[in-house]
């Protein structure tokens, strides 16, 4: 049995949840998210006197149901956190002449190519740039925020000799030593 799946999800007062069949919809101050849960997983909403909780259980004890148990609980928990607080990823650009800027909703990156790279974020994502080198990606869906951050990083990943490129904030890049000169 999944240890993560056994934990119940406590909802705050600002979050409303609706379960219709296998579709769970979570609404909060930042927005609304919905997800279709697999048939092997059962979701129940319990109203206590002071708080509401979501309990995720399996319908049977097959291997696939056990695999989906913790995953489903984590996805629902990320939805609850997203509509309540939101998710943020921070990226840093390092390199001489490398910079970024926001034009309307578009992110424009100048990272050593012969042309600027333009990225159009999804409608539910907001991007801010600080000091031309720090990028902040914010949204309510954890998967979409992480995917956009990975896409931006993949445009110019940090290289191991000088460390130039786009990296996550706090990411450590192991540097290699260069050619030995004679």
């Amino acid at each position: 049995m999944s240890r993560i799946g056994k934990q119940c999800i406590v909802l705050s007062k600002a979050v409303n949840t609706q379960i219709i069949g296998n579709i769970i919809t979570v609404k909060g101050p930042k927005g609304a998210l919905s997800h279709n849960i697999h048939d092997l997983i059962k979701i129940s909403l319990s109203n206590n006197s002071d708080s509401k909780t979501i309990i995720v259980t399996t319908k049977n004890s097959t291997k696939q149901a056990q695999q989906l148990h913790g995953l489903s609980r984590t996805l629902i928990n990320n939805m609850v956190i997203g509509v309540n607080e939101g998710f943020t990823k921070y990226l840093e650009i390092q390199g001489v002449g490398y910079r970024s800027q926001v034009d309307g909703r578009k992110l424009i990156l100048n990272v050593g190519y012969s042309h600027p790279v333009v990225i159009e974020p999804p409608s539910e994502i907001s991007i801010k740039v600080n000091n031309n080198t720090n990028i902040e990606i914010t949204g309510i869906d954890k998967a979409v925020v992480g995917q956009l951050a990975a896409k931006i990083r993949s445009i110019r990943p940090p290289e191991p000799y000088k460390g130039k490129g786009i990296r996550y904030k706090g990411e450590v890049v192991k540097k290699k030593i260069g050619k030995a000169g004679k």
Side-chain angles (χ1 to χ4, degrees):
M1 192 96 188
S2 172
R3 293 180 186 175
I4 293 175
K6 286 181 187 177
Q7 299 172 4
C8 61
I9 303 166
V10 179
L11 300 175
S12 66
K13 303 283 184 197
V15 177
N16 294 326
T17 305
Q18 185 177 15
I19 301 170
I20 300 172
N22 289 347
I23 299 173
I24 182 167
T25 304
V26 181
K27 293 179 184 171
K30 298 250 181 197
L33 291 172
S34 64
H35 186 72
N36 190 1
I37 301 296
H38 198 276
D39 294 335
L40 296 175
I41 303 299
K42 180 185 172 198
I43 310 164
S44 58
L45 184 66
S46 67
N47 290 326
N48 296 343
S49 61
D50 55 334
S51 65
K52 294 187 284 186
T53 58
I54 297 174
I55 300 166
V56 180
T57 56
T58 58
K59 291 185 179 175
N60 55 33
S61 61
T62 62
K63 186 173 182 178
Q64 185 181 11
Q66 291 174 0
Q67 291 170 346
L68 292 169
H69 189 205
L71 171 71
S72 301
R73 189 257 178 213
T74 303
L75 290 174
I76 295 168
N77 190 43
N78 286 342
M79 289 169 54
V80 171
I81 293 170
V83 298
N84 205 14
E85 302 163 18
F87 292 100
T88 305
K89 287 273 190 179
Y90 298 97
L91 297 170
E92 297 173 339
I93 299 175
Q94 291 187 351
V96 177
Y98 288 10
R99 58 188 175 89
S100 62
Q101 63 189 32
V102 175
D103 182 30
R105 286 194 37 82
K106 296 178 184 174
L107 175 68
I108 301 170
L109 298 170
N110 294 320
V111 286
Y113 294 118
S114 61
H115 60 283
V117 179
V118 179
I119 296 176
E120 180 78 39
S123 61
E124 64 268 11
I125 299 293
S126 67
I127 296 178
K128 293 180 190 169
V129 175
N130 301 325
N131 299 333
N132 290 333
T133 58
N134 297 327
I135 303 169
E136 181 181 327
I137 304 164
T138 308
I140 61 172
D141 193 349
K142 187 175 186 177
V144 175
V145 170
Q147 185 64 41
L148 184 63
K151 180 181 174 184
I152 293 170
R153 183 185 180 275
S154 71
I155 291 169
R156 180 69 82 172
E159 53 99 8
Y161 295 102
K162 292 183 181 177
K164 294 166 46 171
I166 303 172
R167 63 178 77 184
Y168 295 111
K169 185 175 183 181
E171 180 182 359
V172 177
V173 178
K174 287 186 76 172
K175 291 188 179 178
K176 295 180 179 180
I177 55 172
K179 246 185 342 185
K182 281 191 175 183

